[in-house]
Amino acid sequence: MTGEGARPRPLVAGNWKMNGRRGALAEAKAVADALAARNTQIAADILICPPTTLIMVMAEILKDAPLKIGAQDCHSAGSGAHTGDVSAEMLADAGASVIIVGHSERRADHAETDALVRMKQEAVHRAGLNAIVCIGETNGQRQAGQTLDVVVRQLERSLSDASSAHNTVVAYEPVWAIGTGLTPTTDDVGEVHAAIRDRLIVRFGDAGRAIRILYGGSVKPQNAMELLAVANVDGALVGGASLKAADFLGIIAAYE
């Protein structure tokens, strides 16, 4: 039965995308300070993935804070003649502990294939870091009734055979809901997450039950409690709402 056993510890990850300069450090510091000051224990891991330019300074400033710093992408190679790219090893040196790969914006804007996403995930593992592997359908695919086929296919082709709860998180992000204000119903989210969980169990056995599955797509303080309560939703990948401390903390509060 899908979702049997204890649920994995949730993760709330903020993806700042191409937003934030040094002044934005105050927002991350406000999140860290608020988490440290709370009397109640937050029952979730917290992560912020800023632009590459801020990773090193943010990791240093927040090294003792109750949150981790991640990166938004990496190259599949460890080094070489790849002007403008950054390797997973370089991001590890900068202080990142997690790297997002396969985000829908990377797939769309840079024509990233499932095969390349898998290579990037393997690069993240090679550097000793954790990977958040993103999958999700477009609006056209959704309207054509192809959601589950697309999501399962991307999952199968994008995940390395070495994936485990210790090095990999899966993030389901319906592309049509990102930045649009549109959100699937909880039934829609539950159906997709159940299909992902089933496929993880088929491929990895009982270990597939422990791999966290995040929901990403217009998550806000107003809908976080409802979305994060859905079976097999083990946290959230948050976009715009992670840029403001008050909004991000409002989402995190679902786990208080």
Side-chain angles (χ1 to χ4, degrees):
M1 177 179 175
T2 300
E4 283 186 344
R7 294 180 70 167
R9 179 174 171 82
L11 168 66
V12 180
N15 176 16
W16 283 13
K17 305 187 181 183
M18 199 173 72
N19 296 293
R21 297 167 66 182
R22 289 187 69 92
L25 294 174
E27 296 295 331
K29 187 68 164 54
V31 171
D33 289 346
L35 293 176
R38 292 192 179 192
N39 294 324
T40 54
Q41 181 67 35
I42 301 296
D45 296 327
I46 310 302
L47 170 73
I48 293 178
C49 297
T52 304
T53 53
L54 293 181
I55 291 174
M56 184 173 290
V57 63
M58 191 177 290
E60 177 62 27
I61 290 173
L62 302 178
K63 61 183 177 182
D64 298 320
L67 58 80
K68 299 295 185 181
I69 302 302
Q72 300 173 20
D73 184 50
C74 70
H75 196 279
S76 59
S79 62
H82 305 290
T83 300
D85 284 310
V86 181
S87 71
E89 287 83 356
M90 291 173 176
L91 294 168
D93 281 348
S97 60
V98 178
I99 302 177
I100 299 170
V101 297
H103 191 280
S104 61
E105 289 156 1
R106 297 290 311 180
R107 291 177 184 264
D109 296 348
H110 300 273
E112 293 193 359
T113 63
D114 294 332
L116 178 57
V117 173
R118 180 170 178 156
M119 290 172 63
K120 289 188 174 188
Q121 183 205 11
E122 292 169 344
V124 174
H125 293 170
R126 183 187 65 223
L129 305 184
N130 292 340
I132 297 178
V133 181
C134 299
I135 56 177
E137 84 282 13
T138 65
N139 190 48
Q141 291 166 335
R142 175 176 180 254
Q143 295 300 326
Q146 300 172 345
T147 293
L148 295 184
D149 289 339
V150 169
V151 168
V152 169
R153 182 174 68 250
Q154 288 182 345
L155 184 72
E156 283 292 309
R157 295 178 179 177
S158 299
L159 280 191
S160 160
D161 290 336
S163 300
S164 73
H166 302 293
N167 61 25
T168 300
V169 175
V170 174
Y172 165 58
E173 41 165 23
V175 179
W176 52 272
I178 299 174
T180 65
L182 300 174
T183 308
T185 67
T186 53
D187 287 343
D188 291 336
V189 173
E191 180 185 25
V192 176
H193 277 244
I196 294 171
R197 178 68 68 205
D198 285 343
R199 182 51 53 181
L200 290 173
I201 293 170
V202 167
R203 182 168 176 186
F204 300 107
D206 282 343
R209 300 184 189 278
I211 295 176
R212 293 185 282 195
I213 309 171
L214 310 185
Y215 171 73
S218 294
V219 181
K220 304 173 183 177
Q222 296 86 344
N223 62 21
M225 186 78 71
E226 184 179 28
L227 287 169
L228 298 178
V230 174
N232 294 300
V233 173
D234 305 312
L237 180 59
V238 184
S242 68
L243 293 168
K244 294 295 183 181
D247 289 341
F248 197 42
L249 288 166
I251 294 170
I252 294 169
Y255 290 113
E256 284 187 326

